[in-house]
Amino acid sequence: MTAFKDGELPKLVKTLLRPAPKLPLAVLLTRAVRRIAVRRSDLIERLGPTARVPIAVMPSDLPFSFRVSLDGANARVDVVTAGEAEKAAARIRAPLLILLGLLDGTYDGDALFFSRDLVIEGDTEHVLALRNTLEQADLTPAEFAGLVGPAADLVNRAAAELLSGARRLVQAPAPQKLPV
C-alpha cells in the first residue's frame, strides 16, 4: 500500500476536487449549518460574539477552504480560495480528516495543536470559543442532515465507518526499526 503523508488525503483526491463546482458545496454546507443553528440555538448563544466572526477552516489537503460564520439564521459557509481564507479573523488549518475528527470528537484539539498537526492563526479567542462549543455540543452527522430515529442511527454508523476507513487509508505505516 502506498503511504501518504500522515493524515493527508492522496494528491489524486486534491487534483480531482480542484475543478469541482464550489457553489453547490457552499449551499449544502450552509443549509446544514443553518439547520444546526436553528435546532441547537443554545450553541449559537454559547458562542456569543464569536458567532458573528468569520472563521476560516483550511483543510491543508484540499484545493479550497471554508469561511464559516455561525450567526444563527444568517449562518453561512463559503467555499473560498486559500487567499480569501487568510483574510478571516481566525484560521484553523489541518488535513481534512483531522478537522472532521475534531468535529466528531475523535481527536483532541489540544494534543493536535501542541504536536503542530493543527495550526491556529489570527484571533485565537474565537477558535477557542468554537472549540469549547463544539466539544460540548456532541454533534452527529445525522444532526447536520436533520435526521432523527432509525435513519439518524444508520447515517451516524455509516459516517463513522466511512471516516474510520478513510483514516486507516491515509495513515502512514509506522517506521520500521533497522536491525543493529
Side-chain angles (χ1 to χ4, degrees):
M1 169 166 37
T2 304
F4 303 108
K5 182 178 174 189
D6 196 27
E8 294 267 339
L9 293 174
K11 287 186 182 191
L12 176 63
V13 173
K14 188 174 189 173
T15 302
L16 292 173
L17 288 174
R18 190 172 312 280
K22 311 303 185 274
L23 183 60
L25 181 57
V27 169
L28 180 70
L29 293 173
T30 294
R31 284 186 181 164
V33 168
R34 284 183 181 169
R35 188 176 294 118
I36 293 291
V38 168
R39 289 180 140 195
R40 298 288 307 272
S41 60
D42 60 306
L43 301 177
I44 304 307
E45 290 171 21
R46 180 181 166 97
L47 280 171
T50 295
R52 292 180 296 282
V53 175
I55 297 175
V57 179
M58 305 171 72
S60 58
D61 50 357
L62 290 184
F64 47 81
S65 296
F66 306 96
R67 189 176 46 229
V68 181
S69 176
L70 300 171
D71 194 11
N74 297 320
R76 66 180 294 120
V77 178
D78 296 307
V79 179
V80 298
T81 65
E84 292 171 304
E86 290 290 342
K87 298 174 188 171
R91 295 166 302 284
I92 306 166
R93 188 184 332 260
L96 178 64
L97 293 175
I98 287 177
L99 293 168
L100 291 172
L102 290 170
L103 186 61
D104 74 8
T106 301
Y107 296 126
D108 179 311
D110 291 336
L112 290 168
F113 176 77
F114 289 113
S115 68
R116 295 192 173 113
D117 291 315
L118 173 70
V119 176
I120 298 171
E121 301 169 319
D123 198 342
T124 58
E125 80 177 76
H126 296 300
V127 175
L128 186 59
L130 178 61
R131 174 192 156 242
N132 291 340
T133 299
L134 288 174
E135 280 184 358
Q136 179 191 19
D138 197 29
L139 295 171
T140 65
E143 284 184 272
F144 282 98
L147 300 173
V148 294
D153 293 339
L154 180 65
V155 165
N156 289 335
R157 281 195 308 273
E161 286 298 316
L162 180 66
L163 285 173
S164 178
R167 288 183 185 116
R168 282 191 306 273
L169 177 68
V170 301
Q171 295 301 312
Q176 300 294 318
K177 289 188 177 183
L178 296 174
V180 189

